[in-house]
Amino acid sequence: ATPENIDLVQANIFRAEALTRSITVNQPKGEKVHTWLSSHELKALIAKTHKNKHSLIGARDRVALGLMSNGMLRRSEAVELHYSDLKVRDGYHIVEVVGKGAKTRGVKLSPVLSKDILFLQDQWGGSAILRPLLKRKKRPKGYSRVGDLWVGEAMSSQALYNLVIKYGKMIGRQLQPHDLRRTGA
């Protein structure tokens, strides 16, 4: 705007503001239908991990699905768990989880889930509980050999998301990780 055209510019601004106020769009609010599994569906989901019953992949997948359903952990919480977070209290295995708002809570684990977590610890030692597993001939960068698999340092949140989708498809359900947390609740 210049002193010569200030009136014209100001008039256009007033018109634009009036036009913006006069146009209203009422969009209906959508509501996501929450998903949770029945106990039968959850058992079927976990049973799919037994395809290779004694494999590291099956055990790792059981632990991942169990932490989110039995432990009601968020995806981000599950991938950040380390063996140092595993404690024994009053004869039960618990994991100490740092969740939203940096709040720490203790989550009691089922005996079966505890057994699978300890099995994984025997296989690859300390550090992260959930780790990526690859079956390749050449060693990927940052991976170490355990049996016929390469084991990475820590599973990513996206890999865990993909794992839940994969197992959901196996039982004919369109699942997301939070659906398992909801199922546990």
Side-chain angles (χ1 to χ4, degrees), residues 50-93:
H50 288 281
K51 198 165 69 170
N52 298 320
K53 189 173 182 178
H54 299 293
S55 76
L56 278 177
I57 295 172
R60 188 267 326 259
D61 293 353
R62 274 191 305 283
V63 167
L65 297 172
L67 286 170
M68 290 185 290
S69 59
N70 171 259
M72 293 183 282
L73 270 61
R74 293 174 180 90
R75 176 172 44 142
S76 60
E77 295 167 346
V79 296
E80 291 173 6
L81 275 183
H82 288 79
Y83 286 102
S84 59
D85 301 320
L86 185 63
K87 312 282 186 217
V88 177
R89 205 177 283 160
D90 299 326
Y92 295 101
H93 283 98

Side-chain angles (χ1 to χ4, degrees), residues 139-151:
R139 177 179 185 235
K141 186 177 180 181
Y143 281 66
S144 57
R145 181 66 106 174
V146 174
D148 62 341
L149 296 171
W150 295 103
V151 180

Side-chain angles (χ1 to χ4, degrees), residues 11 16 29 31-32 37 67 69 83 85 90-91 93 97 101 103 112-113 139 148 162 165:
K29 287 188 175 184
E31 188 175 313
K32 182 181 183 310
L37 301 175
L67 286 170
S69 59
Y83 286 102
D85 301 320
D90 299 326
H93 283 98
V97 180
K103 293 179 184 173
V112 174
L113 182 55
R139 177 179 185 235
D148 62 341
N162 295 340
I165 289 174

